[in-house]
């Protein structure tokens, strides 16, 4: 049975540029129709193009990827997918940025052992980097909040007559529906802003 050659590309967002991966795969003479690309996070393998590729791959086919983190960033799932591809489907994988991860070489026990060690280390590094990115984002948001930067939609300014509206409502002169209409707020937002207003007046 003739061997088919495939390539897989992944970028995390629609804004990221996939050109570097495309150039690297085209140098391997992979037919354009055999290159699959997802613009999606690497946190799991629930990706449409990867699933299509997985269905097409068969025994003795060859799959190229630019680097292990393009396959994914979840340590356990990378190892699981690698086993599915190499053991269950009998596909060979070449990771261009890491020559040791070329399953065509070293089919003996030592070669397989070395490949498994390298894969586990790189998979761990890929997931660790994803966790580090999340931590840096969280720290950046916390630092921005500490400096007074607000996230989300801007708060609706209180109407100038807010105190008068509240007073009239508390005295039963107007219903809550009229209060929220005049303030242009939902009930939940009105009660929250009312609490904040009262605290600021203490």
């Amino acid at each position: 049975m003739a061997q088919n050659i495939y390539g897989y590309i992944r970028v995390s967002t629609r804004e990221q540029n996939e050109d570097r991966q495309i150039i690297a795969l085209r140098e391997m003479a992979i037919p354009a129709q055999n290159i699959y690309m997802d613009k999606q996070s690497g946190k799991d393998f629930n990706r449409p193009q990867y699933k299509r590729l997985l269905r097409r791959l068969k025994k003795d086919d060859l799959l190229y990827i630019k680097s292990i983190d393009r396959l994914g960033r979840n340590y356990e799932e990378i190892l699981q997918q690698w086993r599915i591809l190499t053991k269950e489907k009998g596909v060979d994988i070449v990771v261009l940025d890491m020559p040791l991860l070329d399953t065509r070489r070293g089919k003996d026990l030592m070669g397989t052992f070395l490949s498994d060690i390298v894969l586990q280390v790189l998979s761990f590094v890929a997931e660790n980097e994803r966790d580090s990115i999340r931590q840096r984002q969280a720290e950046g948001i916390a630092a921005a909040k500490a400096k007074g930067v607000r996230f989300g939609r801007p708060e609706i300014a209180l109407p100038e007559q807010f105190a008068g509206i509240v007073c009239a409502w508390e005295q039963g002169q107007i219903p809550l529906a009229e209060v929220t209409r005049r303030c242009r707020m939902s009930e939940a937002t009105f009660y929250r802003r009312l609490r904040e207003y009262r605290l600021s007046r203490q």
Side-chain angles (χ1 to χ4, degrees):
M1 189 177 292
Q3 180 192 59
N4 289 310
I5 303 174
Y6 295 90
Y8 179 69
I9 294 169
R10 184 188 65 78
V11 289
S12 297
T13 67
R14 295 193 180 278
E15 288 74 35
Q16 282 189 339
N17 195 315
E18 64 275 8
D19 289 351
R20 191 172 62 90
Q21 295 178 69
I22 291 173
I23 291 168
L25 294 184
R26 283 181 177 165
E27 288 176 354
M28 299 297 107
I30 303 169
Q33 70 271 19
N34 285 1
I35 296 178
Y36 290 76
M37 179 171 65
D38 282 306
K39 294 196 173 185
Q40 198 169 328
S41 164
K43 64 185 174 72
D44 58 43
F45 282 84
N46 188 24
R47 308 177 217 138
Q49 292 305 308
Y50 180 79
K51 288 181 175 179
R52 283 187 61 204
L53 171 63
L54 200 59
R55 286 195 295 269
R56 280 195 66 182
L57 287 167
K58 60 185 184 297
K59 183 174 172 56
D60 295 326
D61 282 347
L62 177 59
L63 173 63
Y64 284 97
I65 56 174
K66 182 76 171 71
S67 58
I68 196 67
D69 63 338
R70 297 305 90 201
L71 187 61
R73 285 189 178 274
N74 181 297
Y75 174 65
E76 293 294 339
E77 291 198 9
I78 291 173
L79 297 179
Q80 180 187 10
Q81 290 299 317
W82 190 276
R83 281 192 291 269
I84 289 171
L85 290 165
T86 60
K87 303 294 193 296
E88 295 179 18
K89 296 187 79 72
V91 173
D92 274 317
I93 306 176
V94 176
V95 179
L96 295 174
D97 283 357
M98 180 55 62
L100 279 172
L101 285 179
D102 181 343
T103 61
R104 297 171 302 178
R105 301 175 185 171
K107 295 281 188 179
D108 59 0
L109 185 61
M110 181 56 71
T112 302
F113 177 67
L114 287 173
S115 275
D116 284 349
I117 289 176
V118 173
L119 174 63
Q120 290 195 40
V121 170
L122 291 178
S123 300
F124 174 77
V125 169
E127 181 172 17
N128 202 47
E129 175 60 17
R130 188 169 72 94
D131 290 341
S132 296
I133 290 169
R134 280 205 307 261
Q135 184 177 344
R136 288 196 297 269
Q137 287 173 338
E139 289 170 353
I141 290 169
K145 284 183 175 178
K147 290 178 181 177
V149 177
R150 299 185 70 90
F151 293 87
R153 291 182 298 178
E155 287 274 37
I156 298 170
L158 292 179
E160 290 182 8
Q161 67 275 28
F162 187 72
I165 294 171
V166 170
C167 183
W169 170 64
E170 289 176 334
Q171 292 175 5
Q173 295 173 5
I174 56 173
L176 180 60
E178 178 64 15
V179 173
T180 56
R181 186 189 69 78
R182 290 189 192 181
C183 295
R184 297 181 180 179
M185 300 174 187
S186 66
E187 287 187 19
T189 301
F190 168 70
Y191 281 118
R192 178 173 60 80
R193 299 301 297 276
L194 179 60
R195 284 195 302 274
E196 292 170 355
Y197 175 76
R198 284 172 172 164
L199 286 169
S200 70
R201 305 281 290 183
Q202 289 178 357

